[in-house]
Amino acid sequence: LTSITSSDATGITVNTKETRKFASVAEHWWDAHSGPFAPLHSMSTVRCTFIRDAVCKHFSLESHTREPFAGLKMLDVGCGGGLLCEPLARMGSAVMGIDAVAHSIRVAQAHAQRDGVVASRLQYRATTSEQLVKEGALFDVVLSLEVMEHVNDVELFVHSLAALTRPGGMVVLSTLNRTMKSYFNAILAAERVLRWVPEGTHDWSKFITPEEMATLTNKAGLEMRQLTGMVYNPLLPRAWYLDDQDVGLNYIACATKPQDLATFD
């Protein structure tokens, strides 16, 4: 694991109000049951299922092997404490996780050290996607989950993700849809009534509709391949499941970069 370099963790897309908010709760990234990130932990299996299937289909890999991502280079933008990076590494990928919050990166590094194999496949940096674009970095798969609604300039942000994806590679994104259902569930219920996450975690006006997501990826030179809902039902053994017909709350999508598109200005 590399050392933290926080001096470059600034950029046009970074919302300093958001980074301060996440820095204040960074110690709780791995509190899976009662912390502010417990909802993300509960979504982990369904998110990883979508990613595994989409990536394996695109790259013609065998999805049921122990390490289907062996040989792939992945980037998790807005990685927080490493909740996604670690399972990606366990599936065989070489993973870089970046976040604008240096404290989150320290938490991610410390947790990864509990598993030597995972740690050997992970690299963490407190930096931004714009900075990596300047450095000319390229990855087979670029992911950014539950991050888009927290950035300043979402169009520029998606452009940067596309620029970091090698031709023929894939971008995976997830966010919240801007619907009355999401306002009720993510704002009123989760924040104000049930207190699952701190009040003010989300700004409903910054949620992104699937139509807006399609436009953003298209403008960045990406081709949308799949978009499906992530649905929560606490009565089921596994409360989260994928549903192509229900994108009213959370959804996850993948888009690919054409082979002949090296960069997109």
Side-chain angles (χ1 to χ4, degrees), residues 95-118:
V95 184
M96 176 181 285
I98 66 171
D99 201 284
V101 179
H103 191 20
S104 292
I105 292 297
R106 286 191 287 270
V107 171
Q109 288 183 313
H111 193 273
Q113 292 299 331
R114 301 181 182 190
D115 186 323
V117 173
V118 168

Side-chain angles (χ1 to χ4, degrees), residues 31 61 110 263:
D31 185 348
L61 303 172
T263 59

